[in-house]
Amino acid sequence: MSKMESAVQPQLPAVPSDITPEWLGSKLGHKIKSIEHRGTGAIWGTGSKLFYTITYEDDENDDNHPAGTCSTLPSRPTHICIKGVFDPDMISAQPWTISLAQREADFFSKLAASLAKEKTTTIIFPKGWWAGTDSQQ
């Protein structure tokens, strides 16, 4: 199964503190040393966006490879937006938000990549690194 295939997962992060280097590393397929919130750190809503800077365990930081760049594997992100419904109170009050998040994850994991390859579309999609759903997120 590719990283962009939507898969039923045992548990997705319910709150921002559930997003750990270990969890994110398992989704990206790389060992992550640390993650930290970037800038404002979050945009809250029915589909909240959390912004992180990633430091990988094998990052090279020298004159030729400054901190924050992916010198060893340029195909992996150093800055990432993680989107989800990270508010259990909102889910309790508005349970339909789960279906919105699930549909969006399915769209980006199953349709966006194939649509972006078609010559007939002018839609620009953000790079997706992983998408997944569960019954609570």
Side-chain angles (χ1 to χ4, degrees), residues 9-26:
Q9 299 298 312
Q11 181 178 352
L12 291 175
V15 294
S17 61
D18 290 345
I19 299 171
T20 64
E22 296 78 20
W23 179 84
L24 186 56
S26 73

Side-chain angles (χ1 to χ4, degrees), residues 2-14:
S2 76
K3 291 178 193 165
M4 278 304 298
E5 288 182 39
S6 182
V8 175
Q9 299 298 312
Q11 181 178 352
L12 291 175

Side-chain angles (χ1 to χ4, degrees), residues 40-92:
T40 59
I43 299 173
W44 296 103
T46 54
S48 297
K49 298 169 191 74
L50 307 177
F51 301 94
Y52 292 92
T53 298
I54 302 170
T55 302
Y56 295 93
E57 287 189 7
D58 61 354
D59 269 355
E60 296 177 18
N61 295 315
D62 58 32
D63 291 338
N64 296 320
H65 304 98
T69 63
C70 286
S71 57
T72 56
L73 293 171
S75 63
R76 64 185 187 183
T78 53
H79 303 287
I80 197 164
C81 172
I82 299 175
K83 190 168 181 185
V85 186
F86 300 110
D87 185 344
D89 292 335
M90 180 186 296
I91 292 172
S92 293

